[in-house]
Structures are given as C-alpha cells and as structure tokens.
Amino acid sequence: MKLFIKIFLLLFFLLPSCVFAINIEAESHIKNGKMLLASGKAEEAIVEFQKAIALDMNNTDAIFYTGQAYLQLGKFDMAIQNYQRVAELLPDYAEPHYYIGVSYYYKGEAQRALDYFDKAIRINQKYVDPYYTKAIIYYDRGELNEAMKMWDKVLAINPIHTGAEINLAVAYYYNGRTKEAVQMAERAYRQKPQDQMIAFTLGWLYVKTGDKDYARKTLQKTVELYKDSSFAFKASALMFIMDGKLDQAREMVEKSLALDLNDTSALIISGEIYEKKGEKQKAIEAYQKAINLDRNDPDPQKALQKLCGK
C-alpha cells in the first residue's frame, strides 16, 4: 500500500520584511493575495502580490507568496526564481530553500531537491518539513530505512506529527514490525480520530493483524467520515470481504479506482477480490500494477508469488 504522503503549501507564513517602514497599501495587496491563494485562485493572487512588489520591491512576503502561487500553478521555474530572491534577501531563513527543493521535487529533480532540503536543515535543524519531504524522496527510491530515519527525526522534533506517525506505521508493517505499526497508527488515531486517512490505515492494519472487531469499528468510522471518498470506498470493500460479499466489495473498489487508477491499496484489494473469485489472471494484473507503482510494499509481491506458484 502506497504510503500516505502530503506536501502542503505554506499559505500563511510570515517572513520578516527587509524594510523598516511598513507600506500599508502593499500589505493590503498581500492580504488580498493570500485570501485568493487560499481559495485556489493563484493567478489572481499573483496580480495582488505584484501590486505589492511594485510598491515595495523588497517585500519578502509578496515575493515569497508569488513563489507559492506559481508553485500552485505548476510553474516551478517561476516559483524557484521568487524563492531564490527571498533567499538572497533573507539568507538566514530556511523556508525559501525548502520550497526551492519542493519545486525541484515536483520537476522530477530529486537530487537537487535533497540538496536544498539539506541547505534548509543547515540553517534551521528544528524545521521538520525538509526531513519529512526527504523521507518522501527516499521512499520513492526504495530506500525505506532511510525514509524511516527521516520520519523518526520529524517525531524527535515534533512528537505529535501525525503525518510522520502514519507513514512510520505503514513502514513498520513493511519491515515486519507489525506490533509497532499498530501502536504507531493508534497513536496517530488518538490525536486525529476524524482523519479519514488515519482511520482507514489503522483499520487496514487491524485487518492485516486479524483483529476483525477493531478493524470493522475503525473502517466503519472511515465510511461515516467521508461517504464518497476513496478511503470510504476501500473501507467498505474490506468490510465486504470480511463478510464474504465479494461482488459488493468489487463494486466499492471500482469506485475507488475511478477516483485514482494508480491507488495501490485499491489495486491490492482488487487483486485479493479477483483471487478469491478464482479470476487468477485479473488478480495477477492488479498485483503487478501495484508492484510497479510501489516496490516497497511486500504484500502484492507475496500475493503474486503465491498466486503464480499455484
């Protein structure tokens, strides 16, 4: 199952200005731009930020959020240009270096991204985001132990970081540390019981450990939280499988895959359903696609080996 990874745009971070006097009109444009950016109107936000820069050319907030807007639009080179300008104006701040790294990550230049994450860490060793995103890159490379080290560092800095907790829970499971996996997922769930991703992951782990009562309770919670989400569809599919209702389970997993054809957990569930229904070739295809998408997950590999050995 693909780890649940999120990189969030920093929408309301305040950088210090490089000027002594506050330009009230520029600040008004920045405020308007932030509101537009938060509502997904990045192009309109850029117009506001540019108005602020026209009034105050070294306003680091305006330049930084221009970069955020370009990042949201997928214009990564433009985003990098603005972050670099902020880094020049504020050499002692880690955030612009981090977001240069994020931009390179999205461009597919993982090593350059890692270089900038390391720059951010050298400036501020307590800044968790570079560690977290380094873990994503290590995970994508198949370096699971290195990814786990990074998430451990995140938790050493911020012990209630649920993103690191839930990723570590799945990584522990992959490494055969099932008891620790469940404990870590339960820890995240206690902090955010309304988070559908965390609820589903905990329910999924309970299924894997054979704790059907807890699995059903937690998976039902996922369905109640967001009825039409991919997590809810997958949770319903797992419960139908437990009840032996394979056709209903298949219907649910198809709804999940309609939202994301590359959802590895949905593909694995789909493979399990096909296998139980005796449709070997379809099961093989589902497991193989899951393996191609995420080579860290041992489950589809084991299922495929078992199936092909029959």
Side-chain angles (χ1 to χ4, degrees):
M1 182 174 71
K2 185 77 171 180
L3 290 182
F4 308 112
I5 296 166
K6 297 179 181 178
I7 301 176
F8 298 102
L9 287 180
L10 193 62
L11 292 181
F12 296 104
F13 183 82
L14 183 63
L15 290 165
S17 177
C18 291
V19 294
F20 294 104
I22 295 175
N23 188 310
I24 295 174
E25 188 177 352
E27 293 303 314
S28 177
H29 286 301
I30 293 169
K31 181 179 179 180
N32 292 338
K34 286 181 181 180
M35 292 175 63
L36 289 165
L37 188 57
S39 58
K41 299 177 180 179
E43 291 182 346
E44 294 176 44
I46 289 171
V47 173
E48 290 295 322
F49 297 140
Q50 291 301 310
K51 288 179 180 178
I53 293 169
L55 293 165
D56 178 2
M57 65 180 296
N58 289 331
N59 189 300
T60 50
D61 261 5
I63 302 167
F64 179 79
Y65 287 109
T66 301
Q68 296 293 76
Y70 280 123
L71 183 60
Q72 193 177 96
L73 290 169
K75 296 181 178 181
F76 305 124
D77 290 330
M78 293 296 293
I80 290 168
Q81 288 180 24
N82 283 275
Y83 297 138
Q84 286 176 332
R85 175 62 178 152
V86 178
E88 291 168 1
L89 292 168
L90 299 172
D92 295 330
Y93 279 78
E95 286 76 10
H97 295 287
Y98 169 68
Y99 277 98
I100 292 171
V102 170
S103 301
Y104 279 121
Y105 170 75
Y106 282 125
K107 287 186 69 175
E109 299 182 43
Q111 188 54 55
R112 293 191 76 176
L114 287 172
D115 292 341
Y116 277 97
F117 296 150
D118 286 338
K119 284 184 180 181
I121 290 168
R122 284 196 295 271
I123 294 170
N124 182 358
Q125 295 183 6
K126 298 297 184 181
Y127 184 23
V128 298
D129 291 355
Y131 296 109
Y132 187 85
T133 318
K134 282 182 73 173
I136 296 173
I137 292 175
Y138 288 135
Y139 181 88
D140 287 344
R141 288 179 170 181
E143 300 174 29
L144 189 59
N145 288 333
E146 291 302 313
M148 292 171 68
K149 288 178 185 177
M150 291 299 105
W151 284 315
D152 279 332
K153 287 186 177 182
V154 171
L155 290 175
I157 298 167
N158 179 6
I160 58 172
H161 194 294
T162 54
E165 287 172 340
I166 206 64
N167 280 291
L168 269 175
V170 180
Y172 284 151
Y173 171 75
Y174 288 174
N175 270 359
R177 298 160 63 180
T178 306
K179 183 177 179 180
E180 292 172 90
V182 172
Q183 290 174 342
M184 186 64 74
E186 287 175 337
R187 175 173 150 180
Y189 184 69
R190 283 193 295 272
Q191 294 182 67
K192 290 187 177 180
Q194 300 302 312
D195 188 306
Q196 59 168 337
M197 177 189 71
I198 293 173
F200 172 77
T201 306
L202 179 57
W204 169 77
L205 285 168
Y206 283 141
V207 170
K208 293 297 180 181
T209 56
D211 199 335
K212 291 186 177 181
D213 289 339
Y214 277 112
R216 190 177 300 278
K217 179 180 178 180
T218 314
L219 292 169
Q220 185 59 45
K221 179 73 171 181
T222 308
V223 175
E224 292 170 359
L225 286 170
Y226 298 96
K227 292 183 179 180
D228 295 323
S229 73
S230 63
F231 291 113
F233 293 141
K234 289 183 290 188
S236 296
L238 289 175
M239 288 189 288
F240 280 131
I241 291 172
M242 286 191 286
D243 294 336
K245 298 178 179 179
L246 299 181
D247 289 336
Q248 292 94 323
R250 180 60 197 158
E251 181 182 349
M252 289 296 104
V253 83
E254 283 178 351
K255 287 184 178 181
S256 180
L257 287 169
L259 296 174
D260 181 2
L261 287 171
N262 293 327
D263 185 330
T264 55
S265 54
L267 286 166
I268 295 167
I269 296 169
S270 180
E272 183 179 349
I273 295 167
Y274 281 131
E275 187 175 356
K276 289 179 180 294
K277 289 172 70 69
E279 299 180 48
K280 181 177 177 179
Q281 187 56 43
K282 289 184 178 180
I284 290 172
E285 290 172 1
Y287 289 141
Q288 188 59 63
K289 185 173 181 181
I291 291 168
N292 293 341
L293 290 167
D294 182 6
R295 295 191 176 274
N296 293 297
D297 189 342
D299 281 357
Q301 299 177 40
K302 291 177 182 177
L304 190 60
Q305 290 169 1
K306 180 181 176 184
L307 194 59
C308 292
K310 290 183 179 180

